[in-house]
Amino acid sequence: MALDPSPLGRAVRAARAEEPAGWVDLAGSIMSRVRAIVVPSEPILTFTEQGTPARDEQGSATYVSARVVIAALRRLLQEHPTHAPETIDLHVDDSRLTGVDIRLVARYGIELHPLADTLRPQILDIVRGLLGPDPDVDLSTIEIEYVDVTRGDPNRS
């Protein structure tokens, strides 16, 4: 067997040669810290184009993490300097999304009602893009509340 001269190959050989002293304790400590940082996320049921729960080849239901949905909504709501999300809450009942509550900070001088009317369909598009067309999720299930008004870009303050 020829020796791998690449840095990666040398690193792999060195790691396999001997276990560093205290490695088991160190690995346990690292994993406990990671688990303390990462918050569990609820699974949300996905739907087919026909509005029925999506199934894989084995017939199991398909889910998307609530964390993925929130991250996509946060990106959408941070695109413009007119508004920024303070919080995004998803209401999930029995693994089905039942509502979206968004608390926004808006820039002073922005018309708030028209902004909400513009954002709701965009939010619904993101949700449907990730979860599919759930017949129980529509514009009426998306609540937008303004919690503050600020000068300048609220994404920067």
Side-chain angles (χ1 to χ4, degrees):
M1 176 169 131
L3 291 178
D4 187 355
S6 72
L8 179 59
R10 290 192 309 268
V12 168
R13 279 193 313 280
R16 289 181 178 160
E18 65 181 71
E19 191 172 280
W23 168 248
V24 174
D25 295 331
L26 180 61
S29 173
I30 290 170
M31 288 310 296
S32 68
R33 289 179 185 176
V34 167
R35 286 184 193 105
I37 293 171
V38 177
V39 178
S41 180
E42 283 190 88
I44 302 175
L45 187 63
T46 61
F47 289 82
T48 66
E49 290 300 319
Q50 293 76 31
T52 60
R55 304 279 178 190
D56 64 12
E57 297 81 31
Q58 288 79 32
S60 299
T62 306
Y63 299 89
V64 170
S65 168
R67 191 177 295 128
V68 170
V69 177
I70 289 171
L73 292 175
R74 185 168 303 283
R75 282 191 300 274
L76 168 74
L77 296 169
Q78 290 176 327
E79 285 181 352
H80 300 284
T82 57
H83 56 276
E86 180 183 80
T87 60
I88 300 170
D89 293 320
L90 302 180
H91 299 281
V92 180
D93 185 26
D94 198 26
S95 297
R96 287 186 75 160
L97 183 68
T98 58
V100 179
D101 288 347
I102 297 176
R103 294 170 51 102
L104 282 180
V105 176
R107 186 173 71 199
Y108 179 78
I110 297 298
E111 293 289 331
L112 301 180
H113 288 290
L115 176 59
D117 291 342
T118 300
L119 290 174
R120 273 190 195 88
Q122 295 173 7
I123 291 164
L124 185 59
D125 286 346
I126 294 286
V127 169
R128 285 188 172 161
L130 291 169
L131 303 177
D134 181 345
D136 294 335
V137 176
D138 58 23
L139 293 176
S140 69
T141 59
I142 301 169
E143 292 291 326
I144 297 176
E145 177 184 357
Y146 294 99
V147 294
D148 199 2
V149 176
T150 184
R151 295 188 183 275
D153 184 348
N155 290 294
R156 298 183 189 266
S157 46

